[in-house]
Amino acid sequence: MTLSPFDLWVAIIVVVMMPLIIWVNYSKREGGLQGYLWRESPTLVWTSLVFLSLVFASAAARLLSHYGFLSLEADDLLSMALGIPLFVLSMAIIVMGSLAFVKYMRSSRGA
């Protein structure tokens, strides 16, 4: 697959930065919004980490395909295999995130 220069840079940035983002979100559970989510909605956080991991895998597959390490057929198959879980997880994150937001808003009114 031929990527435009912009898409190529986005994929490179995702492959470089996403492991760092995942590690920080996993290891920093104490304070702030991330701490609140780990305490109140750990399923949302785990779902988000899996989603970010799949985004990393998708970007890595695009780079491998772009540089010729992965055939176009394998890239198409991998794209479809990753696309379906990415869609399902994104819908789950929207629903769980909305529920967590409503829960937070209700708890902040009572305080």
Side-chain angles (χ1 to χ4, degrees), residues 1 5-6 10 12 38-40 50 67 70 78 84-85 94 101-102 104 109:
M1 169 192 294
F6 177 76
V10 168
I12 291 170
W38 273 107
R39 283 188 309 277
E40 299 297 324
V50 170
Y67 288 112
L70 194 62
L78 199 55
I84 294 169
I94 289 170
F101 178 72
V102 168
Y104 173 76
R109 282 189 199 153

Side-chain angles (χ1 to χ4, degrees), residues 80-95:
M80 196 179 325
L82 292 174
I84 294 169
L86 279 168
F87 173 73
V88 171
L89 288 174
S90 65
M91 292 297 113
I93 290 169
I94 289 170
V95 170

Side-chain angles (χ1 to χ4, degrees), residues 28-83:
K28 303 296 180 191
R29 303 181 190 187
E30 298 86 37
L33 178 62
Q34 195 66 15
Y36 173 79
L37 288 174
W38 273 107
R39 283 188 309 277
E40 299 297 324
S41 186
T43 306
L44 172 61
V45 179
W46 280 111
T47 304
S48 300
L49 291 176
V50 170
F51 178 80
L52 292 177
S53 299
L54 289 177
V55 169
F56 168 78
S58 178
R62 292 185 80 183
L63 285 176
L64 289 172
S65 174
H66 178 76
Y67 288 112
F69 294 108
L70 194 62
S71 70
L72 291 177
E73 294 81 20
D75 182 45
D76 289 341
L77 181 64
L78 199 55
S79 175
M80 196 179 325
L82 292 174

Side-chain angles (χ1 to χ4, degrees), residues 2-25:
T2 304
L3 298 175
S4 70
F6 177 76
D7 290 336
L8 180 63
W9 280 107
V10 168
I12 291 170
I13 290 170
V14 167
V15 167
V16 170
M17 294 301 295
M18 196 60 69
L20 178 63
I21 292 169
I22 292 168
W23 177 77
V24 167
N25 283 317

